[in-house]
Amino acid sequence: MEPEGVRHRMVEVAKGVRLHVAEVGPENGPVVLLVHGFPDLWYGWRHQMVALAARGFRAVAPDMRGYGDSDVPPSAGSYSIFHLVGDLVALIADLAQPQVFVVGHDWGALVAWQLCLLRPDLVRALVNLSVAYHPRSSEGSPLQVVRALCGEDHYMCRFQDFNNSYLQTQEPGVAEAEFALYDNSHKFKTVFGMRKPAPPILPKDKTFFDSLDSDGTCPPWLSEEDISYYADKFEKTGFTGGLNYYRCMDLNWELSAPWTGAPIKIATKFIVGDLDVTYSVPGVKDYIHKGGLKASVPNLEDVVVMEGVSHFCNQEKPNEVSDYICEFFSKF
């Protein structure tokens, strides 16, 4: 359940877009900005927020645009990586801090990498979970790479509605129709219960949720109250906002051409579970452990692979992840 002492407020980060922000810890403490991914909320950081506050940090966790109690822009094109980084830049300005520590997970890690690339002056140090940094390549867009590695049935292709039709029509897509078949509690128990160390592949005769290696029971590291919190929040917003992040992937690639091959120079720690679906993408382990990630992030100080841990490592092993984060940031 929600930790004691959490303060909630709304911050306007763009014209017509407000983010719901949860925070805890001393208001004059060094700020740690915690950025969630899909399908998550600020609530996914509840354990880390308590641990950070206990060590004197001010933990700040927004619901990203399209999620939770934040605003949900109707246009799919309003979810590009530049919109998302812009939201964080505006939030940091609102916090009146010259620099912040940043932690990202899943899509939050992708946004955090880009924040460090575009505005390194704002970031003191970074801990990213699950998703490694790959510099923009001129050889092909993200979806072209996904199709080459994993085929047309990779879940990201399904989320794109095959050829970005949603971006063109502004009508709810294939993914929304599939998500509507299940109640929200079942969705979250299924997604949080994933443990197969392989990218989700969705046969065309099965839905996203029927294709996952999860029986829909509540994982032991979550409570029924936790599931209810997620279910209630997504009942209000739906999933379109989060899905739009995927729909902008190739748009992000087109717009980021000026940063082709650019490294990230922020001091960084990277954490991933050995059962994480992202860690099992062909070529990723070699990239992380044989010098590729270090070349792209020259100030990478440490890589932690957590054994027997799946994608949502910050909730599955909250104490260990919190200790890694606190110990790393305390060095600065």
Side-chain angles (χ1 to χ4, degrees):
M1 298 297 290
E2 179 174 318
E4 291 185 7
V6 174
R7 306 180 292 273
H8 296 271
R9 61 194 181 97
M10 300 296 292
V11 177
E12 185 171 12
V13 292
K15 186 176 181 180
V17 180
R18 300 169 305 151
L19 298 188
H20 162 249
V21 178
E23 58 180 275
V24 68
E27 294 197 9
N28 61 348
V31 171
V32 179
L33 185 59
L34 300 140
V35 191
H36 72 78
F38 178 87
D40 213 335
L41 300 164
W42 78 269
Y43 187 79
W45 297 111
R46 61 198 179 281
H47 305 294
Q48 285 71 45
M49 294 175 74
V50 171
L52 286 161
R55 301 194 194 190
F57 292 97
R58 179 184 176 189
V60 178
D63 284 331
M64 297 295 282
R65 67 164 62 195
Y67 286 92
D69 293 320
S70 292
D71 288 336
V72 184
S75 169
S78 297
Y79 295 82
S80 78
I81 199 72
F82 295 98
H83 289 91
L84 306 177
V85 170
D87 289 349
L88 296 188
V89 171
L91 177 55
I92 293 168
D94 178 83
L95 294 168
Q97 296 287 323
Q99 285 189 317
V100 299
F101 296 104
V102 180
V103 185
H105 173 256
D106 187 80
W107 262 101
L110 288 170
V111 178
W113 290 124
Q114 292 300 310
L115 174 66
C116 292
L117 181 65
L118 301 175
R119 291 299 306 271
D121 57 306
L122 297 179
V123 183
R124 197 168 180 181
L126 171 70
V127 175
N128 259 350
L129 316 179
S130 180
V131 179
Y133 174 65
H134 289 79
R136 189 218 189 249
S137 170
S138 60
E139 296 181 358
S141 71
L143 281 182
Q144 289 172 332
V145 172
V146 165
R147 289 189 175 101
L149 291 174
C150 303
E152 287 282 352
D153 291 335
H154 189 272
Y155 78 98
M156 288 186 184
C157 298
R158 182 76 63 88
F159 285 2
Q160 289 281 330
D161 292 342
F162 312 110
N163 303 319
N164 283 329
S165 63
Y166 184 86
L167 283 172
Q168 299 165 11
T169 67
Q170 299 297 297
E171 293 296 330
V174 173
E176 280 89 346
E178 289 190 1
F179 277 49
L181 297 174
Y182 307 88
D183 70 76
N184 281 348
S185 293
H186 175 78
K187 291 179 192 132
F188 284 103
K189 289 177 182 179
T190 302
V191 170
F192 286 135
M194 293 188 304
R195 303 202 64 78
K196 183 179 179 181
I201 302 299
L202 316 182
K204 290 182 174 55
D205 61 343
K206 287 189 176 182
T207 68
F208 173 71
F209 295 97
D210 287 341
S211 302
L212 299 181
D213 67 309
S214 177
D215 61 5
T217 59
C218 189
W221 41 271
L222 287 173
S223 69
E224 291 290 344
E225 290 79 9
D226 294 328
I227 294 294
S228 293
Y229 186 92
Y230 281 101
D232 291 345
K233 292 300 180 182
F234 278 84
E235 185 67 30
K236 180 182 74 170
T237 62
F239 290 82
T240 295
L243 291 167
N244 283 342
Y245 287 50
Y246 293 90
R247 291 169 176 141
C248 285
M249 286 175 62
D250 278 4
L251 175 63
N252 294 337
W253 179 79
E254 293 174 9
L255 296 175
S256 61
W259 295 274
T260 298
I264 287 174
K265 299 179 180 179
I266 301 298
T268 299
K269 187 184 191 79
F270 180 68
I271 303 170
V272 66
D274 65 350
L275 302 180
D276 195 316
V277 295
T278 65
Y279 190 57
S280 304
V281 173
V284 166
K285 291 178 184 177
D286 283 349
Y287 174 76
I288 291 173
H289 299 294
K290 294 186 177 181
L293 182 58
K294 179 67 174 178
S296 300
V297 188
N299 290 316
L300 177 69
E301 296 194 13
D302 193 18
V303 173
V304 176
V305 180
M306 303 182 72
E307 294 185 4
V309 178
S310 191
H311 183 62
F312 296 92
C313 58
N314 53 315
Q315 297 195 66
E316 184 176 349
K317 295 291 182 181
N319 294 336
E320 292 90 330
V321 171
S322 296
D323 286 345
Y324 285 133
I325 293 170
C326 292
E327 289 167 6
F328 185 65
F329 288 160
S330 293
K331 296 167 54 176
F332 301 90

